[in-house]
Amino acid sequence: MALTGNQVDLFEASMPRLQAIAYRLLGSASDAEDAVQDTFLRWQSADIDRIEVPEAWLTKVLTNLCLNQLTSARARRETYVGQWLPEPLLAGDPMLGPADTVEQRESVSYAVLALMERLSPNERVVYVLREAFGYPHRRIAEILDITEASGQQIFHRAKKHIAAGRTRSEIDETAARRIVEEFLTAATSGRTEPLVRLLTADAVAIGDGGGKVPARTKPFEGTAAVAKFMRSLFTPNQAARNLLGGTAEVHVSYANGLPALVVTVDGRVIGVLCLEITADGIAAFRNQANPDKLDRATRQWAATNHGEPALRIN
């Protein structure tokens, strides 16, 4: 069925919100794009004149598509090679969605996206729609075909799960950049002691290589182990040179609302290292190195002015 210009415009106006919802639900920009495209196909074949509230209809269709993907994703991740981390979105990516409140910013952070993997599909939907987009419980209940009371219970349960594993990392941008720069100085000093002073006692380092690039299958845990690993990561050696295939440039940036180090070789993003910074120090490093999850970051990187690198690794 051919759509009118107004119907196409209506869908396109909804796309940024739909993409932001889908990304938070799926943790994958490419999967989010596919879900939004499938939503459009259903919009195209629907009897639109009978749809009273197009925004609600589109959100319901998208949510159901994401629920199906979340169910199958759980099975896929059981066979995933190594640690699974979300696809990173660099600062300025429109798929990051609203960032006016602390809750909205946290809902797309690497830390919270990783924690949301522990939620059931319904818990994840309720949490995202309520916390990040402010949907009233009544509308969420209609989307999921549940009672409003059930939706509220699911939300409180999901919020409790997230809060139990989260350390609030809201920190002044200037202070965060200073800490990242101190980290780079410490990591390239060749000594672990300066790194230890920057880390929390329960610091962790997690890497996602997806079986495509070397990455430890289990996280590094504890100050000493993380400091030793970070020192080795930023110490040039022949094996690293062979793996990189050229001079790596390290830029201080932001990804998913958190301070990050973006590593590029010849303009291609080969790693995004997100730092979770708290008042007590750096609590976590989450490094996305799976090339399948860095295409969007590379495209965005090429389209932005990012200045001189903070570090070159030859």
Side-chain angles (χ1 to χ4, degrees):
M1 181 183 296
L3 298 176
T4 66
N6 286 340
Q7 291 166 344
V8 173
D9 291 344
L10 196 156
F11 183 85
E12 289 181 348
S14 298
M15 275 187 65
R17 177 180 54 82
L18 295 175
Q19 288 182 340
I21 291 172
Y23 173 72
R24 283 166 168 81
L25 291 179
L26 302 173
S28 164
S30 57
D31 287 347
E33 289 174 338
D34 290 344
V36 172
Q37 179 61 29
D38 287 344
T39 301
F40 177 73
L41 294 177
R42 283 158 175 75
W43 174 251
Q44 195 173 32
S45 60
D47 187 353
I48 296 175
D49 291 336
R50 300 186 63 180
I51 297 175
E52 295 182 4
V53 185
E55 179 186 336
W57 187 93
L58 290 169
T59 304
K60 185 179 180 71
V61 170
L62 175 81
T63 300
N64 285 328
L65 289 167
C66 289
L67 280 170
N68 291 337
Q69 286 206 43
L70 284 170
T71 301
S72 61
R74 289 198 161 201
R76 291 198 307 272
R77 286 169 196 168
E78 287 179 1
T79 59
Y80 191 81
V81 179
Q83 298 290 312
W84 184 94
L85 288 174
E87 182 177 347
L89 298 181
L90 301 184
D93 193 315
M95 198 176 280
L96 287 168
D100 298 326
T101 68
V102 172
E103 291 76 17
Q104 288 173 337
R105 291 189 292 274
E106 286 194 335
S107 71
V108 78
S109 73
Y110 236 42
V112 171
L113 285 175
L115 285 171
M116 281 200 281
E117 288 295 303
R118 305 177 185 179
L119 303 181
S120 71
N122 269 10
E123 286 174 339
R124 190 159 182 163
V125 168
V126 173
Y127 182 83
V128 166
L129 292 181
R130 180 64 180 170
E131 195 80 343
F133 295 89
Y135 276 60
H137 285 295
R138 176 182 54 80
R139 286 189 59 194
I140 296 173
E142 292 170 353
I143 289 170
L144 291 175
D145 292 323
I146 59 177
T147 66
E148 187 172 343
S150 294
Q152 290 175 329
Q153 290 177 350
I154 291 172
F155 174 69
H156 291 306
R157 188 164 62 243
K159 196 168 184 178
K160 184 177 180 180
H161 288 325
I162 296 294
R166 179 186 64 193
T167 302
R168 284 192 176 270
S169 55
E170 202 56 8
I171 188 170
D172 175 77
E173 188 169 334
T174 302
R177 186 176 183 89
R178 175 179 54 78
I179 293 171
V180 173
E181 290 171 349
E182 288 179 3
F183 162 73
L184 273 179
T185 300
T188 55
S189 69
R191 296 161 44 233
T192 58
E193 293 82 0
L195 281 166
V196 167
R197 290 195 291 270
L198 292 173
L199 307 179
T200 63
D202 58 351
V204 297
I206 303 169
D208 179 349
K212 306 295 178 68
V213 298
R216 182 180 166 94
T217 57
K218 293 183 179 180
F220 290 91
E221 298 180 344
T223 307
V226 172
K228 184 178 180 181
F229 171 63
M230 285 297 156
R231 184 193 65 184
S232 68
L233 200 62
F234 288 90
T235 301
N237 56 69
Q238 192 57 50
R241 293 187 186 97
N242 294 339
L243 179 64
L244 294 172
T247 299
E249 296 186 339
V250 182
H251 292 260
V252 179
S253 186
Y254 267 75
N256 291 75
L258 292 178
L261 296 174
V262 178
V263 185
T264 66
V265 173
D266 297 329
R268 177 174 54 88
V269 176
I270 64 165
V272 178
L273 178 65
C274 290
L275 286 73
E276 184 178 350
I277 301 174
T278 72
D280 297 322
I282 304 173
F285 299 90
R286 296 179 177 88
N287 183 36
Q288 183 54 263
N290 184 345
D292 293 343
K293 299 181 183 181
L294 294 172
D295 284 344
R296 185 181 180 93
T298 295
R299 292 197 303 270
Q300 187 182 358
W301 190 255
T304 57
N305 180 14
H306 32 73
E308 288 297 308
L311 175 69
R312 286 187 172 89
I313 302 176
N314 296 312

